Amino acid sequence: MTGYRVRSAEERRQELRDQAAALGVTEDYISTLVDTFYTRVRAHPVLGPVFDVAISDWGPHLDTMKDFWSSVALGTGRYSGRPVPAHAKHRHIQQFHFNLWLALFEQTLRDTATTPEAATFFMERANRIAQSLQYALFGLESLPVD
């Protein structure tokens, strides 16, 4: 026997919540992370204009991003959007923007995360999300070669 255990969706969500709690990841921290990050995005010389074209009302976008990261980091299920179509409609988004986004996100995590492990927890997820979006938007050639 390999020790493999089938877990229910609720058990997986609870394990995620327990892991996040152990790292100090809370709804309050997610709110701080999102607010800080997007303040930096808006001030960024390259990313700011990209987002300004895409987002006219920042309040709802920030709320959506808080729901998104709450779902990703805490398994709350508050986000029910469709990120690929949301990004695909913005033809001005270029592949290199993802690297800038990830670097800024990582710096924001370093500056705000409760622990280095919490920063790693978010970056692992952010990297997977960015890779998935790049694949959807730009195809196989967007994937890194190992």
Side-chain angles (χ1 to χ4, degrees):
M1 216 60 197
T2 64
Y4 180 75
R5 181 175 70 92
V6 176
R7 297 168 295 148
S8 69
E10 182 53 39
E11 287 173 317
R12 289 190 307 275
R13 280 191 295 275
Q14 186 59 51
E15 287 173 10
L16 178 63
R17 286 189 289 267
D18 292 345
Q19 180 186 15
L23 298 173
V25 175
T26 64
E27 293 286 355
D28 286 341
Y29 173 68
I30 290 169
S31 183
T32 297
L33 172 62
V34 168
D35 288 340
T36 304
F37 175 67
Y38 283 102
T39 295
R40 293 176 179 188
V41 163
R42 293 175 81 180
H44 192 276
V46 176
L47 293 176
V50 171
F51 277 80
D52 285 343
V53 169
I55 300 168
S56 59
D57 187 354
W58 278 91
H61 181 71
L62 294 175
D63 290 342
T64 298
M65 292 298 90
K66 290 172 186 179
D67 288 345
F68 174 81
W69 283 107
S70 176
S71 294
V72 169
L74 301 174
T76 62
R78 290 195 342 230
Y79 178 78
S80 60
R82 297 176 51 212
V84 171
H87 289 81
K89 69 183 178 182
H90 301 291
R91 298 285 182 201
H92 63 285
I93 296 173
Q94 301 294 312
Q95 190 170 351
F96 77 92
H97 292 136
F98 285 90
N99 291 335
L100 296 173
W101 186 97
L102 285 167
L104 188 60
F105 193 69
E106 185 171 26
Q107 185 59 56
T108 303
L109 285 165
R110 282 193 208 127
D111 294 343
T112 64
T114 53
T115 64
E117 295 80 13
T120 300
F121 175 83
F122 276 95
M123 277 312 297
E124 288 172 352
R125 286 152 179 80
N127 280 312
R128 284 195 306 265
I129 292 161
Q131 186 175 40
S132 175
L133 280 172
Q134 288 180 79
Y135 176 68
L137 297 175
F138 307 110
L140 282 174
E141 64 275 2
S142 69
L143 297 178
V145 178
D146 290 334

